[in-house]
Amino acid sequence: MPSQDYQWKRFWCPRSGRINLADGGYLCDPEEKWGKIYNPDLVTFDAISDLPCLALLGEPGIGKSRALQAEKKQIISKIKQQGGQVHSLDDIRSFGSETRLVDKLFNSPQFNEWLQGTHQLHIFLDSFDECLLRIDTLATLLVDEFKSYRDQIKRLNLRIACRTAVWQPVLEEGLKEIWGKDNVGIYELAPLRRIDVSQAAKIVGINDTEAFLEEINQKNVVPLAIKPITFEFLIKTYHRHGSQFPPNQRLYELYSEGCLWLCEERNPNRLSSQLIVNLERQKRLIIAARIAAITIFGNKFAIWADTDWGDVPDEDVLIEKIYQGTESFDGRELEITRKTVKEVLDTGLFSSRGELSRMGWAHQTYAEFLAAWYLVQHETPLNQVMKLIVSPEDPERKLIPQLHETAAWLASMRTDVLQEIMLILMYCCEATYLQMQIFAQQ
């Protein structure tokens, strides 16, 4: 969570909806005329606050806890004006037993008062995923407990905040059974708008915000600016180098550090847990790069993280295809297991793809960069690199169109790849855009 409260206005997208980042890489502003057309699925919390049951999801670093806290502050007065009450469990992360949770929630004075009365009770459960680390049966426990109050459920509103990758199918199905499918909303927090980044820059003391935005655009680091956690990284880098990004630092180095920030676990409760692997961020980056290479060069859209019952889309890669063999790290072999891959999917690099089982890249640029970085780290021979990015069926040896950005990253990292691509460009008049991209990244 950013140390500074920027008071951003955040937007939520139903998991079945689509988030459009066509505003130069920023979230198309739903409050603007054309932004509403580009992002018809996005809503404010106020617009969905009347839904009886809400699950508010987001990948690490997207700012969901702060967003929920801000929305809760605004809505509490409205709830009380309507005669309702609020029961907020902000310390759910500290619960280590089922008994404590039941006592704190279902045996609380607020809950007992609600049982005896006729008013509406609004329950807020933050950091559900952190509590889940200590209570394996939490999802089933909540469903079973709430089922006991079916007769009064119309007077009960529930809000749960959770990381996207660890949201529980059993809980979602249970909530829909209890409240009814139409009364349950599963929403994911959207990235930042251009105006959010501009206003935040002004708050931290950047007077010329237009110059700052232009610098972000020139360095092609908008994908890092639209997430609160990496926005903080960019701000610190900008200040550290005298109101600019370091001119002698290549773009791929800036991206590498930004991706490391997204790989780092910053939550002390998760760091202290013994129930997750807690890989170092460099190890997470290596596994993420493997996933990137598989999805980019294999032309896959998402990772299917559940059992294959024959319903896996053709554009998905099965998680078991990823956790095979080892990767080299610091002179040692790192075993790639299902648990380590799932830990990496629960970083800020990834977000959901509609269904519970599907995870994809939070931004395509992360995948394109890391796929290229993976080949560089493995010192992949030039002839193999070119086989991956050049169409084998094209007599003119044109670059595969879908891999133009990855090819540009490769060219910025390896001189031999750059020289080979330049030879191709000499005979290809259609590659002007790619040529500009390559030179921009030098």
Side-chain angles (χ1 to χ4, degrees):
M1 181 183 294
S3 55
Q4 175 80 45
D5 184 3
Y6 298 109
Q7 298 183 340
W8 285 315
K9 183 171 185 177
R10 305 302 300 271
F11 295 87
W12 301 85
C13 181
R15 202 174 50 202
S16 59
R18 181 171 173 266
I19 296 175
N20 193 312
L21 303 177
D23 183 14
Y26 294 96
L27 180 72
C28 289
D29 193 345
E31 294 191 323
E32 293 185 352
K33 179 181 177 181
W34 295 109
K36 186 62 179 176
I37 295 174
Y38 282 114
N39 268 323
D41 297 322
L42 265 57
V43 295
T44 61
F45 182 80
D46 188 59
I48 57 177
S49 61
D50 289 335
L51 270 174
C53 185
L54 280 174
L56 305 169
L57 311 180
E59 67 265 22
I62 196 69
K64 64 183 180 304
S65 289
R66 175 155 282 170
L68 183 61
Q69 290 296 326
E71 303 292 2
K72 187 168 62 176
K73 285 181 182 178
Q74 293 184 14
I75 203 171
I76 282 178
S77 59
K78 177 182 176 182
I79 291 172
K80 291 182 176 179
Q81 286 175 5
Q82 295 173 345
Q85 287 190 3
V86 174
H87 186 25
S88 181
L89 293 185
D90 297 327
D91 59 345
I92 188 174
R93 60 174 64 90
S94 66
F95 294 172
S97 70
E98 296 179 15
T99 303
R100 188 178 174 196
L101 176 62
V102 170
D103 286 343
K104 195 78 172 180
L105 178 53
F106 298 102
N107 294 334
S108 64
Q110 296 95 326
F111 199 84
N112 286 324
E113 186 179 341
W114 169 75
L115 284 174
Q116 302 300 322
T118 58
H119 61 277
Q120 201 79 13
L121 179 65
H122 298 253
I123 296 175
F124 288 83
L125 300 180
D126 193 8
S127 305
F128 173 83
D129 49 284
E130 295 172 36
C131 183
L132 192 63
L133 297 175
R134 295 174 172 84
I135 308 175
D136 296 335
T137 57
L138 175 61
T140 304
L141 170 68
L142 287 176
V143 170
D144 289 344
E145 288 292 331
F146 282 124
K147 279 182 179 178
S148 303
Y149 307 99
R150 283 182 182 273
D151 293 341
Q152 300 101 326
I153 210 69
K154 288 185 178 180
R155 294 192 296 110
L156 187 65
N157 285 24
L158 177 66
R159 281 87 180 88
I160 302 178
C162 182
R163 288 188 177 188
T164 304
V166 296
W167 175 244
Q168 296 289 294
V170 64
L171 178 57
E172 180 172 334
E173 294 307 313
L175 296 178
K176 288 179 179 179
E177 180 187 345
I178 297 167
W179 268 273
K181 185 177 180 180
D182 294 337
N183 292 321
V184 176
I186 313 295
Y187 286 82
E188 191 164 6
L189 188 58
L192 301 175
R193 302 169 294 172
R194 184 189 300 269
I195 190 173
D196 297 322
V197 173
S198 177
Q199 290 175 348
K202 187 171 294 185
I203 289 174
V204 296
I206 297 177
N207 295 323
D208 193 345
T209 57
E210 286 302 317
F212 176 67
L213 291 177
E214 181 59 28
E215 183 83 357
I216 287 176
N217 185 56
Q218 287 183 356
K219 291 290 185 180
N220 292 327
V221 291
V222 174
L224 300 180
I226 60 175
K227 300 188 76 168
I229 187 66
T230 39
F231 172 77
E232 291 271 303
F233 158 69
L234 290 179
I235 288 291
K236 290 176 181 177
T237 303
Y238 192 76
H239 281 314
R240 190 166 64 247
H241 293 274
S243 297
Q244 63 178 357
F245 295 118
N248 61 338
Q249 183 181 25
R250 292 186 177 182
L251 176 59
Y252 71 81
E253 293 170 341
L254 191 63
Y255 252 89
S256 178
E257 186 60 29
C259 287
L260 277 171
W261 269 60
L262 290 171
C263 283
E264 189 166 3
E265 180 58 69
R266 299 173 184 274
N267 190 304
N269 296 288
R270 295 179 71 88
L271 286 171
S272 63
S273 170
Q274 300 300 310
L275 300 179
I276 58 174
V277 181
N278 274 333
L279 294 170
E280 301 165 33
R281 65 177 192 164
Q282 290 87 352
K283 292 180 179 179
R284 289 182 172 187
L285 187 67
I286 290 169
I287 297 174
R290 171 189 277 214
I291 298 172
I294 291 172
T295 53
I296 289 295
F297 299 121
N299 195 25
K300 297 297 182 180
F301 174 71
I303 300 95
W304 188 271
D306 205 348
T307 305
D308 179 9
W309 298 108
D311 56 348
V312 180
D314 292 338
E315 63 269 22
D316 287 13
V317 59
L318 289 168
I319 191 172
E320 48 260 43
K321 299 291 185 181
I322 299 171
Y323 64 84
Q324 299 177 6
T326 61
E327 290 288 345
S328 297
F329 172 75
D330 199 19
R332 293 172 293 176
E333 294 300 303
L334 169 65
E335 184 181 3
I336 311 301
T337 66
R338 185 183 188 93
K339 200 169 185 178
T340 57
V341 172
K342 282 213 163 189
E343 182 173 323
V344 172
L345 292 176
D346 187 26
T347 66
L349 290 168
F350 298 91
S351 60
S352 73
R353 284 298 175 272
E355 298 180 44
L356 288 171
S357 324
R358 305 181 80 199
M359 295 295 293
W361 292 95
H363 200 289
Q364 183 68 7
T365 304
Y366 303 154
E368 292 164 343
F369 164 74
L370 287 173
W373 184 84
Y374 185 80
L375 297 186
V376 172
Q377 295 302 306
H378 280 265
E379 299 180 351
T380 307
L382 178 62
N383 66 321
Q384 292 185 22
V385 171
M386 300 312 295
K387 284 181 180 179
L388 288 171
I389 62 177
V390 173
S391 176
E393 301 175 355
D394 193 330
E396 296 182 13
R397 295 183 68 243
K398 291 182 181 178
L399 296 172
I400 298 172
Q402 297 91 330
L403 298 180
H404 276 188
E405 296 295 335
T406 302
W409 281 117
L410 279 164
S412 71
M413 298 180 201
R414 283 182 48 169
T415 304
D416 59 342
V417 176
L418 171 62
Q419 292 172 344
E420 194 71 17
I421 290 178
M422 292 306 296
L423 287 175
I424 294 175
L425 294 179
M426 288 175 61
Y427 300 100
C428 182
C429 61
E430 299 174 2
T432 305
Y433 171 73
L434 174 63
Q435 192 171 16
M436 292 173 61
Q437 288 292 101
I438 292 174
F439 283 116
Q441 293 176 11
Q442 298 306 302

PDB file of all heavy atoms in Angstrom, residues 343-364:
ATOM      1  N   GLU A 343       2.308 -19.027  -6.182  1.00  0.00           N
ATOM      2  CA  GLU A 343       2.767 -17.856  -5.429  1.00  0.00           C
ATOM      3  C   GLU A 343       3.084 -16.701  -6.367  1.00  0.00           C
ATOM      4  O   GLU A 343       2.783 -15.541  -6.076  1.00  0.00           O
ATOM      5  CB  GLU A 343       4.002 -18.214  -4.597  1.00  0.00           C
ATOM      6  CG  GLU A 343       4.508 -17.060  -3.741  1.00  0.00           C
ATOM      7  CD  GLU A 343       5.619 -17.463  -2.793  1.00  0.00           C
ATOM      8  OE1 GLU A 343       5.579 -18.591  -2.256  1.00  0.00           O
ATOM      9  OE2 GLU A 343       6.530 -16.640  -2.573  1.00  0.00           O
ATOM     10  N   VAL A 344       3.672 -17.004  -7.508  1.00  0.00           N
ATOM     11  CA  VAL A 344       4.006 -15.968  -8.487  1.00  0.00           C
ATOM     12  C   VAL A 344       2.739 -15.404  -9.147  1.00  0.00           C
ATOM     13  O   VAL A 344       2.646 -14.196  -9.403  1.00  0.00           O
ATOM     14  CB  VAL A 344       4.974 -16.528  -9.549  1.00  0.00           C
ATOM     15  CG1 VAL A 344       5.178 -15.524 -10.679  1.00  0.00           C
ATOM     16  CG2 VAL A 344       6.313 -16.861  -8.913  1.00  0.00           C
ATOM     17  N   LEU A 345       1.753 -16.256  -9.383  1.00  0.00           N
ATOM     18  CA  LEU A 345       0.487 -15.781  -9.949  1.00  0.00           C
ATOM     19  C   LEU A 345      -0.240 -14.848  -8.991  1.00  0.00           C
ATOM     20  O   LEU A 345      -1.110 -14.075  -9.399  1.00  0.00           O
ATOM     21  CB  LEU A 345      -0.420 -16.972 -10.296  1.00  0.00           C
ATOM     22  CG  LEU A 345       0.042 -17.866 -11.457  1.00  0.00           C
ATOM     23  CD1 LEU A 345      -0.896 -19.048 -11.614  1.00  0.00           C
ATOM     24  CD2 LEU A 345       0.133 -17.070 -12.752  1.00  0.00           C
ATOM     25  N   ASP A 346       0.127 -14.902  -7.710  1.00  0.00           N
ATOM     26  CA  ASP A 346      -0.469 -14.037  -6.691  1.00  0.00           C
ATOM     27  C   ASP A 346       0.381 -12.800  -6.456  1.00  0.00           C
ATOM     28  O   ASP A 346       0.451 -12.269  -5.359  1.00  0.00           O
ATOM     29  CB  ASP A 346      -0.638 -14.828  -5.382  1.00  0.00           C
ATOM     30  CG  ASP A 346      -1.415 -14.051  -4.324  1.00  0.00           C
ATOM     31  OD1 ASP A 346      -2.215 -13.168  -4.714  1.00  0.00           O
ATOM     32  OD2 ASP A 346      -1.209 -14.305  -3.127  1.00  0.00           O
ATOM     33  N   THR A 347       1.077 -12.325  -7.485  1.00  0.00           N
ATOM     34  CA  THR A 347       1.830 -11.070  -7.404  1.00  0.00           C
ATOM     35  C   THR A 347       1.137 -10.013  -8.263  1.00  0.00           C
ATOM     36  O   THR A 347       0.183 -10.307  -8.988  1.00  0.00           O
ATOM     37  CB  THR A 347       3.283 -11.252  -7.897  1.00  0.00           C
ATOM     38  OG1 THR A 347       3.258 -11.553  -9.308  1.00  0.00           O
ATOM     39  CG2 THR A 347       3.995 -12.373  -7.143  1.00  0.00           C
ATOM     40  N   GLY A 348       1.648  -8.804  -8.207  1.00  0.00           N
ATOM     41  CA  GLY A 348       1.058  -7.707  -8.954  1.00  0.00           C
ATOM     42  C   GLY A 348       1.221  -7.804 -10.451  1.00  0.00           C
ATOM     43  O   GLY A 348       0.677  -6.973 -11.188  1.00  0.00           O
ATOM     44  N   LEU A 349       1.959  -8.788 -10.927  1.00  0.00           N
ATOM     45  CA  LEU A 349       2.134  -8.963 -12.365  1.00  0.00           C
ATOM     46  C   LEU A 349       0.904  -9.572 -13.036  1.00  0.00           C
ATOM     47  O   LEU A 349       0.751  -9.486 -14.258  1.00  0.00           O
ATOM     48  CB  LEU A 349       3.344  -9.869 -12.649  1.00  0.00           C
ATOM     49  CG  LEU A 349       4.724  -9.278 -12.335  1.00  0.00           C
ATOM     50  CD1 LEU A 349       5.775 -10.375 -12.385  1.00  0.00           C
ATOM     51  CD2 LEU A 349       5.077  -8.156 -13.312  1.00  0.00           C
ATOM     52  N   PHE A 350       0.023 -10.179 -12.229  1.00  0.00           N
ATOM     53  CA  PHE A 350      -1.095 -10.925 -12.792  1.00  0.00           C
ATOM     54  C   PHE A 350      -2.441 -10.432 -12.261  1.00  0.00           C
ATOM     55  O   PHE A 350      -2.526  -9.865 -11.181  1.00  0.00           O
ATOM     56  CB  PHE A 350      -0.937 -12.425 -12.482  1.00  0.00           C
ATOM     57  CG  PHE A 350       0.289 -13.033 -13.084  1.00  0.00           C
ATOM     58  CD1 PHE A 350       1.486 -13.076 -12.384  1.00  0.00           C
ATOM     59  CD2 PHE A 350       0.266 -13.557 -14.368  1.00  0.00           C
ATOM     60  CE1 PHE A 350       2.631 -13.624 -12.939  1.00  0.00           C
ATOM     61  CE2 PHE A 350       1.398 -14.109 -14.939  1.00  0.00           C
ATOM     62  CZ  PHE A 350       2.590 -14.145 -14.230  1.00  0.00           C
ATOM     63  N   SER A 351      -3.478 -10.697 -13.029  1.00  0.00           N
ATOM     64  CA  SER A 351      -4.849 -10.384 -12.614  1.00  0.00           C
ATOM     65  C   SER A 351      -5.770 -11.464 -13.185  1.00  0.00           C
ATOM     66  O   SER A 351      -5.350 -12.301 -13.974  1.00  0.00           O
ATOM     67  CB  SER A 351      -5.276  -8.994 -13.112  1.00  0.00           C
ATOM     68  OG  SER A 351      -5.222  -8.933 -14.532  1.00  0.00           O
ATOM     69  N   SER A 352      -7.045 -11.431 -12.774  1.00  0.00           N
ATOM     70  CA  SER A 352      -7.970 -12.488 -13.193  1.00  0.00           C
ATOM     71  C   SER A 352      -8.397 -12.315 -14.647  1.00  0.00           C
ATOM     72  O   SER A 352      -8.295 -11.235 -15.223  1.00  0.00           O
ATOM     73  CB  SER A 352      -9.204 -12.496 -12.293  1.00  0.00           C
ATOM     74  OG  SER A 352     -10.032 -11.385 -12.596  1.00  0.00           O
ATOM     75  N   ARG A 353      -8.885 -13.404 -15.214  1.00  0.00           N
ATOM     76  CA  ARG A 353      -9.402 -13.389 -16.581  1.00  0.00           C
ATOM     77  C   ARG A 353     -10.839 -13.898 -16.603  1.00  0.00           C
ATOM     78  O   ARG A 353     -11.192 -14.774 -17.367  1.00  0.00           O
ATOM     79  CB  ARG A 353      -8.518 -14.235 -17.498  1.00  0.00           C
ATOM     80  CG  ARG A 353      -7.216 -13.566 -17.885  1.00  0.00           C
ATOM     81  CD  ARG A 353      -7.453 -12.278 -18.673  1.00  0.00           C
ATOM     82  NE  ARG A 353      -6.221 -11.563 -18.960  1.00  0.00           N
ATOM     83  CZ  ARG A 353      -5.671 -10.675 -18.155  1.00  0.00           C
ATOM     84  NH1 ARG A 353      -6.247 -10.401 -17.006  1.00  0.00           N
ATOM     85  NH2 ARG A 353      -4.567 -10.048 -18.483  1.00  0.00           N
ATOM     86  N   GLY A 354     -11.662 -13.348 -15.731  1.00  0.00           N
ATOM     87  CA  GLY A 354     -13.087 -13.657 -15.750  1.00  0.00           C
ATOM     88  C   GLY A 354     -13.477 -14.838 -14.899  1.00  0.00           C
ATOM     89  O   GLY A 354     -14.219 -14.695 -13.943  1.00  0.00           O
ATOM     90  N   GLU A 355     -12.959 -16.018 -15.206  1.00  0.00           N
ATOM     91  CA  GLU A 355     -13.323 -17.206 -14.458  1.00  0.00           C
ATOM     92  C   GLU A 355     -12.397 -17.394 -13.265  1.00  0.00           C
ATOM     93  O   GLU A 355     -11.263 -16.899 -13.244  1.00  0.00           O
ATOM     94  CB  GLU A 355     -13.270 -18.437 -15.369  1.00  0.00           C
ATOM     95  CG  GLU A 355     -14.241 -18.365 -16.539  1.00  0.00           C
ATOM     96  CD  GLU A 355     -14.159 -19.604 -17.412  1.00  0.00           C
ATOM     97  OE1 GLU A 355     -14.101 -20.710 -16.857  1.00  0.00           O
ATOM     98  OE2 GLU A 355     -14.153 -19.451 -18.639  1.00  0.00           O
ATOM     99  N   LEU A 356     -12.876 -18.162 -12.286  1.00  0.00           N
ATOM    100  CA  LEU A 356     -12.107 -18.382 -11.063  1.00  0.00           C
ATOM    101  C   LEU A 356     -10.764 -19.035 -11.339  1.00  0.00           C
ATOM    102  O   LEU A 356      -9.792 -18.792 -10.636  1.00  0.00           O
ATOM    103  CB  LEU A 356     -12.916 -19.265 -10.106  1.00  0.00           C
ATOM    104  CG  LEU A 356     -14.129 -18.612  -9.432  1.00  0.00           C
ATOM    105  CD1 LEU A 356     -14.946 -19.655  -8.709  1.00  0.00           C
ATOM    106  CD2 LEU A 356     -13.675 -17.533  -8.470  1.00  0.00           C
ATOM    107  N   SER A 357     -10.703 -19.874 -12.368  1.00  0.00           N
ATOM    108  CA  SER A 357      -9.500 -20.669 -12.614  1.00  0.00           C
ATOM    109  C   SER A 357      -8.471 -19.949 -13.484  1.00  0.00           C
ATOM    110  O   SER A 357      -7.374 -20.462 -13.666  1.00  0.00           O
ATOM    111  CB  SER A 357      -9.863 -21.980 -13.306  1.00  0.00           C
ATOM    112  OG  SER A 357     -11.080 -22.484 -12.864  1.00  0.00           O
ATOM    113  N   ARG A 358      -8.808 -18.813 -14.050  1.00  0.00           N
ATOM    114  CA  ARG A 358      -7.952 -18.186 -15.063  1.00  0.00           C
ATOM    115  C   ARG A 358      -7.238 -16.959 -14.529  1.00  0.00           C
ATOM    116  O   ARG A 358      -7.838 -16.060 -13.953  1.00  0.00           O
ATOM    117  CB  ARG A 358      -8.766 -17.784 -16.289  1.00  0.00           C
ATOM    118  CG  ARG A 358      -9.560 -18.904 -16.923  1.00  0.00           C
ATOM    119  CD  ARG A 358     -10.314 -18.402 -18.132  1.00  0.00           C
ATOM    120  NE  ARG A 358      -9.483 -18.303 -19.321  1.00  0.00           N
ATOM    121  CZ  ARG A 358      -9.785 -17.573 -20.382  1.00  0.00           C
ATOM    122  NH1 ARG A 358     -10.877 -16.840 -20.379  1.00  0.00           N
ATOM    123  NH2 ARG A 358      -8.988 -17.552 -21.430  1.00  0.00           N
ATOM    124  N   MET A 359      -5.918 -16.933 -14.739  1.00  0.00           N
ATOM    125  CA  MET A 359      -5.112 -15.769 -14.398  1.00  0.00           C
ATOM    126  C   MET A 359      -4.339 -15.344 -15.647  1.00  0.00           C
ATOM    127  O   MET A 359      -3.878 -16.193 -16.425  1.00  0.00           O
ATOM    128  CB  MET A 359      -4.140 -16.089 -13.268  1.00  0.00           C
ATOM    129  CG  MET A 359      -4.797 -16.427 -11.944  1.00  0.00           C
ATOM    130  SD  MET A 359      -5.700 -15.023 -11.229  1.00  0.00           S
ATOM    131  CE  MET A 359      -4.348 -13.899 -10.841  1.00  0.00           C
ATOM    132  N   GLY A 360      -4.216 -14.029 -15.831  1.00  0.00           N
ATOM    133  CA  GLY A 360      -3.472 -13.513 -16.976  1.00  0.00           C
ATOM    134  C   GLY A 360      -2.590 -12.351 -16.555  1.00  0.00           C
ATOM    135  O   GLY A 360      -2.569 -11.960 -15.387  1.00  0.00           O
ATOM    136  N   TRP A 361      -1.889 -11.791 -17.503  1.00  0.00           N
ATOM    137  CA  TRP A 361      -0.986 -10.683 -17.213  1.00  0.00           C
ATOM    138  C   TRP A 361      -1.772  -9.412 -16.916  1.00  0.00           C
ATOM    139  O   TRP A 361      -2.712  -9.081 -17.638  1.00  0.00           O
ATOM    140  CB  TRP A 361      -0.032 -10.457 -18.381  1.00  0.00           C
ATOM    141  CG  TRP A 361       0.925 -11.589 -18.524  1.00  0.00           C
ATOM    142  CD1 TRP A 361       0.795 -12.676 -19.340  1.00  0.00           C
ATOM    143  CD2 TRP A 361       2.137 -11.775 -17.789  1.00  0.00           C
ATOM    144  NE1 TRP A 361       1.852 -13.531 -19.162  1.00  0.00           N
ATOM    145  CE2 TRP A 361       2.699 -13.006 -18.219  1.00  0.00           C
ATOM    146  CE3 TRP A 361       2.811 -11.032 -16.825  1.00  0.00           C
ATOM    147  CZ2 TRP A 361       3.900 -13.501 -17.704  1.00  0.00           C
ATOM    148  CZ3 TRP A 361       4.006 -11.524 -16.308  1.00  0.00           C
ATOM    149  CH2 TRP A 361       4.539 -12.737 -16.742  1.00  0.00           C
ATOM    150  N   ALA A 362      -1.391  -8.709 -15.847  1.00  0.00           N
ATOM    151  CA  ALA A 362      -2.069  -7.466 -15.493  1.00  0.00           C
ATOM    152  C   ALA A 362      -1.864  -6.415 -16.570  1.00  0.00           C
ATOM    153  O   ALA A 362      -2.696  -5.525 -16.755  1.00  0.00           O
ATOM    154  CB  ALA A 362      -1.559  -6.959 -14.141  1.00  0.00           C
ATOM    155  N   HIS A 363      -0.769  -6.509 -17.292  1.00  0.00           N
ATOM    156  CA  HIS A 363      -0.524  -5.631 -18.443  1.00  0.00           C
ATOM    157  C   HIS A 363       0.322  -6.406 -19.438  1.00  0.00           C
ATOM    158  O   HIS A 363       1.295  -7.062 -19.065  1.00  0.00           O
ATOM    159  CB  HIS A 363       0.198  -4.350 -18.010  1.00  0.00           C
ATOM    160  CG  HIS A 363       0.062  -3.227 -18.985  1.00  0.00           C
ATOM    161  ND1 HIS A 363       0.690  -3.238 -20.214  1.00  0.00           N
ATOM    162  CD2 HIS A 363      -0.638  -2.067 -18.941  1.00  0.00           C
ATOM    163  CE1 HIS A 363       0.396  -2.120 -20.864  1.00  0.00           C
ATOM    164  NE2 HIS A 363      -0.411  -1.398 -20.119  1.00  0.00           N
ATOM    165  N   GLN A 364      -0.032  -6.343 -20.708  1.00  0.00           N
ATOM    166  CA  GLN A 364       0.661  -7.114 -21.736  1.00  0.00           C
ATOM    167  C   GLN A 364       2.142  -6.771 -21.804  1.00  0.00           C
ATOM    168  O   GLN A 364       2.984  -7.617 -22.113  1.00  0.00           O
ATOM    169  CB  GLN A 364      -0.001  -6.884 -23.096  1.00  0.00           C
ATOM    170  CG  GLN A 364       0.582  -7.676 -24.238  1.00  0.00           C
ATOM    171  CD  GLN A 364       0.340  -9.176 -24.134  1.00  0.00           C
ATOM    172  OE1 GLN A 364      -0.384  -9.628 -23.258  1.00  0.00           O
ATOM    173  NE2 GLN A 364       0.957  -9.944 -25.021  1.00  0.00           N
TER     174      GLN A 364
END
